[in-house]
């Protein structure tokens, strides 16, 4: 018997309507009133049951595959198949210049030691967070004044403290047969800080340290002491050991297993720049105060790796097979190993401009602003923990800072005021927020391409009253001039700025290259507010750049040039006196030939700059529509 129920109609009403339509075609139900009978209740039950089973089957099928799964627990299980451990919460890191004033000592030591576990309290608003050192640091009196400054392993005047509560969980190795699993019931565990020590028994002080499988630098044998951390279905973490035969040594019955880690607040503790020590420094039973100077704000704290990140990174990690050969290997392994990474890109030196054969180039964009010292520390960590173990001997790795190019958008919108209750100002704000959200979602990472054709429909869909919109784009590169902290003056220097598009040729009426205002010092010592722009007027085909004051007077006839075909702006012996805006940068703006597509290359990232929205009511259109209706 043929059925009229379509398998694609899985909603309740559709299923019930299909059942009724099917029954009406049967002779025994001819002219039967289904709605006025008890049969309606039975059909409700059948439709509800079918609808529920269809949803369950649909959800279950989706969770079966990496590409369609939505639940984190499902993604974690899929990741295991790729030998990929999804990122846990990561502790925020404080980078501190830390000193102790011991000038009052008659006999000074050659060095002092900052013990592991030293606590510093950071304040962010009304909240306080504890940061603690996880390594031992040595301090030296490098100036001979009795001020001892602690240094990291590279000799830099910096120490690192991680946010969180030091937590210990102990287990007793079971005497039963079979594989043993030890669960740490803490969703805030930072896997990077997890250490596992195995003692002979509950009273022993002798222990063996087990290493995470992700940090092993050699092969695995029956004597290898390793543990495998895995996330459970409820967000906790379990510690797995080898089988004692070929996958590593396993704890023996009666052994005491002690797991120590930081339970952290993750991203909440980012952005702190105020610290005080929880206790004073002790030396020979005397107390000395710390001198604490934060180097940038706390950073690198993050939440657990998200579902979409796991979906993208797990296959990359599998392809890398725990070695650095191709650019994808660098992206997959580093992204999985280092917390706080927003985006990463890598390419071979042969693809670089200029070419650098025998090198792999890596650029990392972090989730929060980091200082040069913090960035260097991460690069050293990658070098020590990953590259030295997994990279090819003949290939060196070079890290480059991301180059950010900003898009200044001016959006002109015509709308029908009769179709909305929003004021012009409210509509402008709503459109501006939509554009900001679009950039936050679709741009801000390596290889994210801007396409105006994708943004325009998003703007048009903000409100039903919008009739049309026009978006014009200006490229902006933010130049940070070199500053001499000794002379407290900007240094005369040459700069080359790269834009992402072919630029327009010089125009006789509108400058193609412009800049933010800054002060420039004249030969007589006076300063004048000027901007950079290209020549206009009779010399319309000149790409020469000059300094012009607010009245249009040329102050310096040539400070460089721009090359329209390559999108490069060159400044020669450029030396501003001060920046009017008070920012650390001067915005250099350029008009592209093609506004429809802006595509970044290598270490370039597109961000939203100025976001100007101008909304105008189209009264004539509204009146014409009303007149037609009448």
């Amino acid at each position: 018997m043929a059925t009229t129920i379509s398998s694609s109609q899985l909603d309740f009403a559709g299923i019930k309507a299909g059942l009724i339509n099917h029954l009406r075609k049967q002779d025994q139900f001819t002219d039967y009133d289904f709605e006025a009978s008890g049969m309606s209740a039975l059909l409700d039950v059948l439709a509800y049951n079918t609808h529920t089973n269809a949803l369950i089957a649909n959800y279950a099928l989706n969770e079966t595959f990496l590409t369609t799964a939505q639940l984190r627990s499902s993604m974690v299980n899929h990741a295991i198949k790729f030998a990929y451990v999804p990122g846990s919460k990561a502790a925020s890191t404080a980078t501190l210049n830390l000193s102790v004033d011991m000038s009052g000592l008659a006999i000074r030591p050659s060095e002092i030691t900052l013990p592991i576990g030293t606590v510093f309290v950071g304040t962010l608003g009304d909240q306080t967070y504890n940061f603690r050192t996880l390594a031992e640091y040595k301090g030296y009196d490098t100036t001979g004044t009795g001020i001892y400054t602690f240094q990291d392993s590279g000799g830099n005047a910096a120490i690192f403290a991680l946010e969180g509560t030091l937590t210990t969980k102990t287990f007793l190795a079971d005497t039963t047969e079979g594989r043993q699993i030890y669960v740490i019931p803490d969703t805030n565990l930072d896997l990077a800080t997890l250490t596992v020590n195995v003692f002979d028994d509950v009273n022993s002080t002798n222990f063996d340290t087990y290493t995470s499988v992700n940090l092993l630098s050699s092969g695995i044998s029956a004597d290898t002491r390793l543990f495998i951390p895995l996330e459970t279905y409820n967000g906790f973490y379990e510690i797995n050991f080898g089988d004692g035969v070929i996958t590593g040594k396993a704890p023996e019955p009666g052994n005491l297993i002690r797991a120590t880690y930081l339970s952290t607040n993750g991203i909440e503790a980012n952005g702190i720049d105020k610290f005080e020590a929880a206790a004073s420094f002790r030396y020979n039973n005397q107390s000395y105060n710390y001198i604490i100077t934060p180097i940038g704000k706390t950073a690198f704290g993050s939440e657990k790796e998200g579902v979409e990140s796991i979906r993208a990174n797990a296959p990359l990690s599998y392809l890398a097979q725990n070695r650095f050969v191709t650019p994808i290997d660098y992206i997959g392994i580093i992204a999985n190993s280092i917390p706080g990474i927003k985006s990463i890109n890598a390419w071979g030196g042969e693809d670089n401009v200029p070419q650098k054969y025998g090198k792999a180039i890596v650029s990392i964009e972090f989730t929060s602003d980091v200082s040069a010292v913090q960035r260097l520390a991460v690069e050293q960590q990658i070098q020590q923990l990953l590259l030295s173990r997994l990279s090819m001997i003949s290939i060196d790795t070079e890290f480059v800072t991301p180059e950010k190019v900003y898009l200044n958008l001016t959006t002109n919108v015509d709308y029908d005021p009769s179709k909305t209750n929003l004021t012009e100002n409210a509509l402008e704000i709503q459109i501006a927020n939509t554009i900001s959200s679009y950039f936050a979602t679709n741009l801000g990472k390596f290889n994210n391409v801007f396409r105006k054709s994708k943004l325009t429909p998003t703007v048009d869909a903000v409100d039903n009253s919008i009739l049309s919109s026009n978006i014009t784009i200006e490229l902006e590169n933010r130049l940070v001039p070199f500053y001499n902290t000794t002379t407290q003056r900007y240094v005369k220097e040459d700069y080359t700025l790269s834009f992402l598009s072919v630029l327009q040729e010089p125009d006789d009426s509108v400058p193609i290259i412009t800049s933010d205002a800054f002060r420039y010092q004249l030969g007589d010592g006076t300063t004048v507010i000027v901007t950079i722009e290209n020549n206009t007027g009779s010399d319309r085909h000149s790409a020469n750049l000059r300094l012009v004051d607010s009245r249009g007077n040329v102050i310096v006839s040539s400070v460089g040039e721009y090359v329209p075909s390559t999108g490069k702006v060159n400044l020669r012996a450029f030396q501003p006196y001060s920046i009017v805006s008070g920012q650390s940068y001067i915005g250099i703006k350029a008009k592209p030939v093609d506004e429809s597509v802006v595509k970044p290359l290598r270490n370039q990232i597109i961000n939203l700059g100025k976001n100007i929205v101008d909304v105008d009511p189209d009264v004539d259109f509204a009146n014409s529509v009303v007149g037609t209706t009448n």
Side-chain angles (χ1 to χ4, degrees):
M1 185 189 305
T3 179
T4 58
I5 300 175
S6 171
S7 60
S8 62
Q9 296 174 348
L10 299 180
D11 63 286
F12 176 83
I15 294 172
K16 184 177 179 180
L19 289 170
I20 292 175
N21 188 37
H22 170 69
L23 291 176
R24 278 177 174 163
K25 293 187 177 182
Q26 312 307 311
D27 294 339
Q28 58 269 44
F29 290 106
T30 303
D31 297 327
Y32 191 84
D33 188 355
F34 289 93
E35 296 301 327
S37 68
M39 183 71 75
S40 179
L42 294 176
L43 291 175
D44 282 343
V45 173
L46 286 172
Y48 177 80
N49 183 67
T50 305
H51 174 68
T52 302
N53 288 335
L55 288 178
I56 292 173
N58 183 60
Y59 292 151
L61 190 62
N62 283 340
E63 299 304 316
T64 304
F65 301 98
L66 176 75
T67 53
T68 55
Q70 299 299 315
L71 298 177
R72 179 181 172 82
S73 57
S74 300
M75 292 300 294
V76 169
N77 287 332
H78 289 307
I80 293 175
K81 303 172 187 175
F82 293 94
Y84 180 83
V85 180
S88 66
K89 264 194 173 184
S92 181
T93 302
T95 307
L96 307 175
N97 182 297
L98 186 67
S99 302
V100 176
D101 186 354
M102 303 177 67
S103 57
L105 273 180
I107 302 177
R108 300 170 187 164
S110 60
E111 67 178 28
I112 59 176
T113 301
L114 183 71
I116 296 175
T118 301
V119 176
F120 301 92
V121 180
T123 303
L124 184 64
D126 297 331
Q127 296 293 322
T128 59
Y129 299 89
N130 289 334
F131 290 74
R132 65 189 67 240
T133 58
L134 299 183
E136 193 176 80
Y137 294 93
K138 299 294 184 180
Y140 302 94
D141 180 9
T142 57
T143 62
T145 60
I147 305 295
Y148 287 76
T149 302
F150 294 100
Q151 299 179 356
D152 64 11
S153 58
N156 303 306
I159 66 106
F160 305 95
L162 277 69
E163 185 274 329
T165 302
L166 191 62
T167 307
T168 299
K169 179 68 175 176
T170 58
F171 308 93
L172 189 63
D174 205 338
T175 58
T176 59
E177 296 293 332
R179 174 173 171 264
Q180 302 301 310
I181 299 174
Y182 307 94
V183 177
I184 301 176
D186 192 342
T187 60
N188 296 323
L189 179 151
D190 180 354
L191 281 178
T193 66
L194 177 62
T195 60
V196 176
N197 297 322
V198 177
F199 294 78
D200 294 337
D201 54 55
V202 293
N203 299 315
S204 176
T205 57
N206 298 321
F207 63 86
D208 293 320
T209 298
Y210 280 60
T211 303
S212 173
V213 68
N214 298 321
L215 299 178
L216 288 178
S217 57
S218 59
I220 299 175
S221 67
D223 295 325
T224 303
R225 293 180 173 86
L226 65 85
F227 70 90
I228 304 171
L230 296 175
E231 185 177 339
T232 64
Y233 72 95
N234 55 5
F236 294 159
Y237 290 90
E238 64 180 46
I239 301 174
N240 297 266
F241 295 95
D243 60 4
V245 182
I246 59 175
T247 59
K249 186 175 178 60
E252 299 178 356
N255 285 168
L256 180 72
I257 303 168
R258 179 173 295 166
T260 305
Y261 62 92
L262 282 182
S263 182
T264 180
N265 290 290
I267 197 171
E268 294 179 16
N270 284 349
I272 298 174
D273 58 2
K274 296 179 181 178
F275 289 92
E276 61 182 24
S280 57
F281 180 76
R282 300 285 294 178
Y283 179 78
N284 284 347
N285 295 322
Q286 296 292 322
S287 296
Y288 300 90
N289 292 327
Y290 290 105
I291 304 170
I292 305 173
T293 304
I295 303 176
K297 297 181 179 181
T298 55
F300 308 124
S302 63
E303 296 302 305
K304 285 186 175 182
E305 185 176 6
V307 169
E308 294 306 321
S309 178
I310 298 173
R311 200 191 313 277
N313 288 333
L316 291 180
S317 176
Y318 180 76
L319 290 174
Q321 292 293 302
N322 214 30
R323 81 285 188 265
F324 291 109
V325 178
T326 69
I328 292 179
D329 298 340
Y330 285 81
I331 294 173
I333 296 177
I334 294 176
N336 183 34
S337 304
I338 304 300
I341 291 180
K342 178 181 179 182
S343 182
I344 179 172
N345 200 19
W347 59 96
E350 69 279 4
D351 296 325
N352 195 66
V353 179
Q355 292 174 325
K356 296 181 179 180
Y357 292 104
K359 284 191 175 184
I361 316 296
V362 177
S363 189
I364 301 174
E365 173 73 354
F366 294 98
T367 54
S368 55
D369 292 335
V370 298
S371 66
V373 173
Q374 292 170 317
R375 181 177 289 276
L376 178 61
V378 172
E379 293 172 0
Q380 291 175 343
Q381 182 182 5
I382 294 172
Q383 184 67 49
Q384 294 169 2
L385 297 181
L386 300 174
L387 297 175
S388 61
R389 298 187 296 112
L390 306 176
S391 63
M392 299 175 63
I393 296 177
S394 60
I395 302 296
D396 294 327
T397 303
E398 179 179 328
F399 292 91
V400 295
T401 304
E403 294 181 4
K404 298 181 181 180
V405 174
Y406 297 82
L407 300 188
N408 295 331
L409 270 59
T410 300
T411 306
N412 295 297
V413 175
D414 290 331
Y415 81 107
D416 182 354
S418 66
K419 292 185 177 181
T420 182
N421 294 324
L422 297 175
T423 64
E424 285 188 25
N425 184 57
L427 186 56
E428 288 176 350
I429 292 173
Q430 195 164 334
I431 293 172
N433 290 340
T434 299
I435 293 173
S436 297
S437 178
Y438 178 88
F439 270 76
T441 303
N442 299 284
L443 296 154
K445 296 182 179 180
F446 297 110
N447 301 318
N448 284 168
V449 178
F450 171 80
R451 299 182 189 277
K452 190 163 71 171
S453 61
K454 299 290 186 180
L455 176 59
T456 300
T458 304
V459 172
D460 292 342
V462 169
D463 192 84
N464 290 331
S465 65
I466 295 177
L467 303 173
S468 64
S469 62
N470 181 47
I471 302 173
T472 56
I473 296 171
E474 178 183 63
L475 305 178
E476 179 180 345
N477 203 316
R478 295 177 177 178
L479 169 66
V480 180
F482 292 110
Y483 188 80
N484 189 318
T485 56
T486 302
T487 61
Q488 295 187 345
R489 293 288 303 275
Y490 288 107
V491 178
K492 185 179 293 185
E493 190 65 63
D494 293 342
Y495 300 94
T496 297
L497 307 177
S498 297
F499 290 88
L500 304 182
S501 299
V502 175
L503 304 181
Q504 295 181 21
E505 294 287 342
D507 190 91
D508 59 357
S509 57
V510 179
I512 304 304
I513 305 295
T514 57
S515 77
D516 293 340
F518 59 92
R519 290 188 179 275
Y520 181 79
Q521 189 173 48
L522 302 177
D524 58 4
T526 61
T527 62
V528 61
I529 296 178
V530 297
T531 58
I532 300 172
E533 67 175 45
N534 60 287
N535 282 1
T536 57
S538 59
D539 193 13
R540 67 169 292 172
H541 295 293
S542 171
N544 179 62
L545 300 177
R546 58 189 183 177
L547 300 185
V548 180
D549 66 14
S550 58
R551 297 182 178 180
N553 299 317
V554 177
I555 305 301
V556 178
S557 59
S558 180
V559 292
E561 72 283 334
Y562 84 98
V563 185
S565 61
T566 63
K568 292 187 180 297
V569 172
N570 303 307
L571 298 176
R572 312 295 184 193
F574 182 65
Q575 185 181 21
Y577 182 80
S578 64
I579 301 174
V580 174
S581 66
Q583 300 285 350
S584 61
Y585 62 85
I586 299 173
I588 311 295
K589 298 133 188 176
K591 297 183 183 298
V593 169
D594 183 9
E595 295 185 351
S596 61
V597 178
V598 182
K599 183 178 181 179
L601 298 173
R602 292 179 289 275
N603 64 322
Q604 296 170 325
I605 294 176
I606 297 174
N607 284 326
L608 178 62
K610 293 179 181 178
N611 184 12
I612 301 172
V613 178
D614 183 25
V615 171
D616 293 314
D618 193 330
V619 180
D620 293 337
F621 176 85
N623 290 337
S624 66
V625 172
V626 172
T628 302
T629 303
N630 291 337

